[in-house]
Amino acid sequence: MALIIRPALPSDVPQILAFIRALAVYEREPDAVLATEADLLEHGFGEAPYYTCLIAEQDGAPAGFALYFYDYSTWLGRPGLYLEDLFVFPEHRGAGIGKALLQRLAQIALEKGCARMKWEVLDWNSPAIDFYNAMGAEIQKEWLNVRLSGDALRRLADLGNVVETTEAP
Amino acid sequence: MALIIRPALPSDVPQILAFIRALAVYEREPDAVLATEADLLEHGFGEAPYYTCLIAEQDGAPAGFALYFYDYSTWLGRPGLYLEDLFVFPEHRGAGIGKALLQRLAQIALEKGCARMKWEVLDWNSPAIDFYNAMGAEIQKEWLNVRLSGDALRRLADLGNVVETTEAP
């Protein structure tokens, strides 16, 4: 068995999109993926990338991926590694590939001086929750996620300017 | 009344730390702030900053702040604006400063091509939850936050390497 975990290259973009689509099917949102190869190429491999990606290959075949970026803890005064997507194709599960990806992410987090790793899990995904608990992760039920998008985001932005502002950096 | 919202400067770092500490008191974790001015200076104003910060000033006095960075939606193929901290000093509340900060963030999000804004709220903070609901935000109770830090993070990183890896970018 030859398992390799390596940073994604621009030529991996079609494969990354295939992983994202497969993950969306698993998360019961098969039609939610609007991202294109051009989006992923621009945002992950441009001058100021928004994300970084690892690819797991089993005997030369793409088996899984992890896509992440950095957040920041103002309490700890240190960056954190935020894991947006982690996925292993069903036919490659049970071989420790998900754990190997998480292990490599933990190493990268420590190398970069991060205080922690964070990610989200669906509340019905008991196998994943058990897996994360077993490695000592905390499920933080007190903190709820809030999202503002679409028309509500535009409405908020379009309120009459009641204050002076200067340009954002 | 003169309310100004402006990007933070390196000289604002002591004030940013004061905001962070006041927010931690409000969140019932007064001893949780380990960040130093040196941390905040390095991570917010260096070559590749981990965060960006807005300051709200009321009649020339610091009244509130918003600290944020960018995340990435693999479903939408677009960055998002992640609001880590939002705080207005108690004596300045009720004057629309929190809303003005959120409005400016929404404008920045749209200017940067973000698909959405995200943040977290404590489940007991009903006034904040009502405020966010009123502006059309969704509270996503299905997604739980997972955090791995400290010894558990180091344990995961230190597992014997079972795979070949190449350098992370």
Side-chain angles (χ1 to χ4, degrees):
Chain A
M1 172 177 118
L3 175 61
I4 290 177
I5 295 187
R6 61 168 179 81
L9 303 170
S11 57
D12 290 311
V13 160
Q15 184 60 54
I16 295 171
L17 187 53
F19 281 126
I20 291 168
R21 287 182 174 145
L23 177 56
V25 168
Y26 178 73
E27 289 175 342
R28 306 177 187 173
E29 295 275 0
D31 301 320
V33 179
L34 306 178
T36 65
E37 291 185 12
D39 294 331
L40 295 174
L41 191 63
E42 175 188 348
H43 297 139
F45 302 92
E47 265 187 39
Y50 285 106
Y51 73 84
T52 307
C53 186
L54 297 178
I55 303 275
E57 286 177 343
Q58 178 76 62
D59 297 327
F65 87 128
L67 189 144
Y68 63 98
F69 39 79
Y70 295 96
D71 61 10
Y72 192 70
S73 166
T74 51
W75 286 5
L76 302 174
R78 288 167 64 189
L81 189 154
Y82 192 93
L83 174 58
E84 177 69 16
D85 283 347
L86 176 73
F87 185 72
V88 175
F89 280 134
E91 62 270 29
H92 287 285
R93 291 189 195 150
I97 297 175
K99 182 98 179 233
L101 281 164
L102 283 167
Q103 182 192 348
R104 184 70 195 112
L105 291 168
Q107 293 167 348
I108 292 169
L110 293 176
E111 288 161 16
K112 296 277 186 183
C114 294
R116 52 168 171 60
M117 287 171 56
K118 279 179 76 177
W119 62 92
E120 292 177 13
V121 65
L122 282 159
D123 58 3
W124 50 257
N125 193 351
S126 304
I129 291 173
D130 292 345
F131 178 59
Y132 300 147
N133 276 325
M135 66 174 61
E138 306 156 67
I139 311 288
Q140 303 195 280
K141 296 195 174 172
E142 196 186 20
W143 288 98
L144 307 178
N145 291 304
V146 186
R147 188 164 66 173
L148 185 71
S149 58
D151 286 343
L153 178 62
R154 279 185 291 274
R155 262 199 316 273
L156 178 60
D158 287 346
L159 288 179
N161 254 326
V162 293
V163 295
E164 291 179 62
T165 58
T166 55
E167 281 303 294
Chain B
M1 171 178 118
L3 176 60
I4 291 179
I5 295 185
R6 61 169 178 81
L9 304 171
S11 57
D12 290 312
V13 160
Q15 184 60 54
I16 295 171
L17 187 53
F19 281 126
I20 291 169
R21 287 182 173 145
L23 176 56
V25 169
Y26 178 74
E27 288 174 344
R28 305 177 186 172
E29 296 274 1
D31 302 320
V33 180
L34 306 179
T36 65
E37 291 185 12
D39 293 332
L40 295 174
L41 190 63
E42 175 189 350
H43 297 139
F45 301 92
E47 264 187 39
Y50 285 106
Y51 72 84
T52 307
C53 185
L54 297 179
I55 304 274
E57 285 176 343
Q58 177 76 62
D59 297 328
F65 86 129
L67 190 146
Y68 64 98
F69 38 79
Y70 296 96
D71 61 8
Y72 193 69
S73 166
T74 50
W75 286 5
L76 301 175
R78 287 167 65 190
L81 189 154
Y82 191 92
L83 174 58
E84 178 68 16
D85 283 347
L86 176 72
F87 185 71
V88 176
F89 280 135
E91 62 270 30
H92 287 286
R93 291 189 195 150
I97 297 176
K99 182 99 178 231
L101 281 164
L102 283 167
Q103 182 192 347
R104 184 68 195 112
L105 291 168
Q107 292 166 349
I108 292 169
L110 293 177
E111 287 161 17
K112 296 279 187 184
C114 293
R116 52 168 170 63
M117 288 171 57
K118 277 180 76 176
W119 62 92
E120 292 179 12
V121 66
L122 282 159
D123 58 4
W124 50 258
N125 193 352
S126 305
I129 291 173
D130 292 346
F131 177 60
Y132 301 147
N133 275 325
M135 67 175 59
E138 306 156 66
I139 312 287
Q140 302 194 282
K141 296 194 174 172
E142 195 186 21
W143 287 98
L144 306 178
N145 291 305
V146 186
R147 188 164 67 172
L148 185 72
S149 59
D151 286 344
L153 178 62
R154 279 184 291 273
R155 261 200 317 274
L156 178 60
D158 287 347
L159 288 178
N161 253 325
V162 293
V163 296
E164 291 179 63
T165 57
T166 56
E167 282 303 294

